[in-house]
């Protein structure tokens, strides 16, 4: 087993562990067993006062531990009052009796590590350790002062470190769950957006060709049958695309979308002019521009009432631009708008154009929509691409249909 695998398993095992509870800290009170024995044997001056102080110390220690391990009670004033009372009692018992009673300082430090896990912890532990060392040296010896002082500062530091580590793990687990939930929401949004773009375009094609069948059937049966065959082909293609969208592997081809757009415009009685220039584009760029063509042409067919539509793809320096211009009724915003991660102005296409703007913005591109002169509507998309070595000769593809 490699060291990396072993470390991963250890981290996973630690994540499954629960943070220590109060029962893990209460047994430390057995450190005061020697003091209890001295009280029972009568070796402690004023044993009744010592017994009362011991009972109060144990009660305050348990109260502080339980409150400090409760996230709701730890920031409260009651928890701080309990810790302050425990500190005062520790100093009183240590100064008054010394000896084994100095072990109250490590217990006080441990309780402080549970309650205080911020920058104030360091100065407090240093103060406790110095106090324990001074009192021990005054009432005992130098060796006892060093041991008690070291035990005091280490008990608080180790306790605070362990509990802070568990808190960090809990926060990381919550963050991971939030990221997973966000990823699911993004995937749902992507899926719904893909289905909107796919089905919206496909249904438009089916409706247009069905209308063509109805118009042609009375006078040209062969042409009507051809349109019906196109409907069948479009339906089969739509099923394939939906399956691909569900699996998340659909990569549209710009050339394919341009051919479909020309066919759809032709079937709708709209003169189509398609121009494309420049070297081949990266697959992702082609896929994004394919979505733009699909959505833009669908809007032209549905809403424009246009007689002519021009589609142009050209590469400029470090970016590629795609423009779709029609001479229809000009539904859209009254002034050109630019969307880079922002909603496209309300108008033709609505949700579809907003989805396109989000897609392009995520890839560092932009989407502009607005009137094209006195009549018509213009949609322009820009995407950054790697610069190529020269440009191909422009290729004009024109499909003209008389109404």
């Amino acid at each position: 087993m490699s060291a990396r695998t072993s470390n991963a398993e250890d981290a996973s095992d630690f994540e499954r562990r629960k943070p220590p509870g109060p029962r893990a800290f209460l047994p430390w009170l057995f450190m005061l067993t020697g003091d209890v024995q001295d009280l029972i044997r009568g070796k402690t001056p004023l044993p009744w006062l010592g017994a009362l102080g011991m009972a109060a110390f144990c009660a305050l220690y348990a109260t502080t531990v339980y409150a400090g391990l409760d996230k709701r009670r730890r920031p409260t004033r009651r928890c701080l009052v309990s810790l302050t009372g425990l500190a005062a009692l520790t100093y009183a018992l240590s100064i008054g009796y010394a000896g084994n009673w100095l072990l109250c300082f490590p217990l006080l430090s441990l309780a402080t590590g549970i309650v205080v896990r911020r920058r104030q912890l360091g100065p407090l532990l240093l103060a406790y350790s110095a106090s324990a060392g001074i009192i021990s040296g005054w009432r005992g010896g130098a060796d006892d002062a060093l041991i008690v002082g070291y035990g005091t500062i280490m008990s608080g530091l180790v306790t605070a470190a362990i509990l802070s580590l568990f808190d960090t793990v809990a926060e990381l687990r919550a963050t991971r769950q939030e990221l997973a939930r966000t990823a699911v929401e993004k995937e749902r949004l992507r899926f719904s957006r893909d289905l909107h773009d796919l089905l919206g375009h496909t249904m438009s094609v089916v409706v247009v060709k069905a209308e063509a069948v109805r118009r042609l059937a009375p006078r040209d049966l062969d042409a009507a049958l051809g349109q019906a065959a196109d409907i069948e082909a479009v339906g089969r293609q739509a099923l394939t695309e939906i399956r691909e969208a569900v699996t998340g592997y659909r990569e549209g081809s710009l050339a394919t979308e341009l051919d479909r757009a020309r066919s759809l415009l032709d079937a709708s009685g709209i003169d189509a002019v398609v121009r494309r220039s420049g070297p081949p584009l990266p697959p992702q760029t082609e896929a994004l521009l394919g979505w733009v063509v699909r959505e833009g042409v669908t809007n032209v067919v549905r809403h424009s009432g246009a007689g002519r539509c021009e589609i142009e793809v050209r590469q400029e320096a470090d970016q590629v631009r795609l423009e779709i211009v029609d001479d229809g009724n000009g539904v859209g915003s009254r002034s050109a708008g630019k969307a880079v991660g922002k909603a496209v102005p309300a108008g033709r296409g609505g949700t579809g154009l907003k989805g396109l703007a989000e897609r392009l913005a995520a890839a560092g591109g932009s989407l502009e929509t607005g009137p094209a002169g006195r009549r018509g509507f213009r949609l322009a998309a820009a995407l950054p691409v790697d610069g190529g070595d020269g440009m191909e000769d422009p290729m004009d593809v024109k499909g003209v249909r008389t109404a």
Side-chain angles (χ1 to χ4, degrees):
M1 181 185 296
S2 65
R4 181 179 298 178
T5 303
S6 178
N7 292 336
E9 290 180 353
D10 292 342
S12 177
D13 181 66
F14 183 82
E15 286 186 5
R16 288 193 294 267
R17 293 179 180 271
K18 294 182 179 180
R23 294 181 181 179
F25 296 100
L26 293 181
W28 289 100
L29 287 172
F30 283 103
M31 293 174 60
L32 303 178
T33 302
D35 301 328
V36 176
Q37 291 177 351
D38 291 342
L39 286 172
I40 294 175
R41 294 171 183 174
K43 296 182 179 181
T44 302
L46 300 174
W48 64 270
L49 183 60
L52 184 61
M54 176 67 69
F57 182 89
C58 292
L60 285 173
Y61 175 83
T63 301
T64 304
V65 167
Y66 272 94
L69 293 175
D70 189 334
K71 293 183 178 181
R72 293 173 298 179
R73 296 170 58 189
R74 187 170 64 207
T76 61
R77 185 176 180 179
R78 181 179 299 179
C79 183
L80 295 177
V81 169
S82 176
L83 180 62
T84 302
L86 183 66
L89 191 56
T90 297
Y91 277 93
L93 293 175
S94 299
I95 294 173
Y97 291 105
N100 290 333
W101 293 86
L102 289 169
L103 294 177
C104 291
F105 271 105
L107 293 175
L108 170 63
S109 177
L110 189 149
T112 304
I114 294 175
V115 176
V116 183
R117 304 178 198 173
R118 298 184 297 273
R119 296 180 179 178
Q120 297 90 334
L121 178 64
L124 284 175
L125 295 184
L126 288 175
Y128 294 161
S129 179
S131 300
I134 292 172
I135 296 173
S136 179
W138 171 41
R139 301 294 299 272
D143 294 339
D144 292 341
L146 181 61
I147 294 174
V148 173
Y150 179 77
T152 297
I153 195 169
M154 288 305 297
S155 61
L157 286 177
V158 172
T159 301
I162 292 175
L163 294 177
S164 297
L165 181 59
F166 274 103
D167 289 344
T168 301
V169 170
E171 292 177 0
L172 289 175
R173 187 184 298 114
T175 301
R176 183 165 40 186
Q177 293 174 352
E178 179 65 19
L179 289 175
R181 185 184 64 81
T182 303
V184 170
E185 291 181 353
K186 288 183 177 179
E187 182 62 16
R188 287 176 178 172
L189 178 61
R190 181 201 68 81
F191 183 66
S192 63
R193 187 172 55 196
D194 286 359
L195 285 182
H196 170 272
D197 293 342
L198 284 169
L199 295 179
H201 175 78
T202 302
M203 292 299 102
S204 296
V205 173
V206 170
V207 170
V208 169
K209 289 191 174 292
E211 292 176 348
V213 171
R214 178 172 53 81
R215 291 196 308 267
L216 294 172
R219 63 177 185 273
D220 192 342
L221 184 57
D222 291 338
L225 291 176
Q227 295 291 340
D230 288 344
I231 293 175
E232 180 181 0
V234 169
R236 293 183 184 278
Q237 181 64 28
L239 290 175
T240 302
E241 291 176 347
I242 290 174
R243 294 190 187 100
E244 291 174 349
V246 170
T247 56
Y249 294 113
R250 184 179 190 277
E251 292 292 342
S253 168
L254 179 58
T256 301
E257 294 298 341
L258 290 174
D259 290 340
R260 291 178 180 174
R262 187 167 54 250
S263 176
L264 176 59
L265 292 169
D266 183 74
S268 303
I270 300 174
D271 294 343
V273 179
V274 180
R275 302 186 184 91
R276 181 176 180 180
S277 62
L281 299 172
Q284 185 177 7
T285 303
E286 287 237 348
L288 286 172
L289 293 179
W291 284 114
V292 176
V293 172
R294 177 185 288 263
E295 179 65 26
V297 172
T298 299
N299 287 336
V300 171
V301 173
R302 284 181 176 177
H303 310 293
S304 70
R308 179 184 176 87
C309 178
E310 296 184 6
I311 305 173
E312 182 179 7
V313 182
R314 65 179 183 275
Q315 190 166 336
E316 306 172 346
D318 59 347
Q319 71 173 358
V320 59
R321 293 185 62 85
L322 185 151
E323 292 188 3
I324 301 176
V325 181
D326 64 60
D327 61 352
N329 54 27
V331 177
S333 60
R334 291 300 177 185
S335 60
K338 186 173 183 179
V340 183
K342 299 180 180 179
V344 177
R348 186 193 308 168
T351 303
L353 293 183
K354 291 179 181 179
L356 286 180
E358 293 171 359
R359 289 173 184 269
L360 294 172
S366 62
L367 181 69
E368 299 178 6
T369 60
R374 294 183 178 180
R375 284 182 56 83
F377 189 80
R378 174 178 172 271
L379 182 150
L383 275 174
V385 295
D386 295 334
D389 298 331
M391 304 284 285
E392 294 182 357
D393 293 335
M395 175 184 66
D396 290 353
V397 183
K398 299 184 179 181
V400 181
R401 171 188 173 94
T402 58

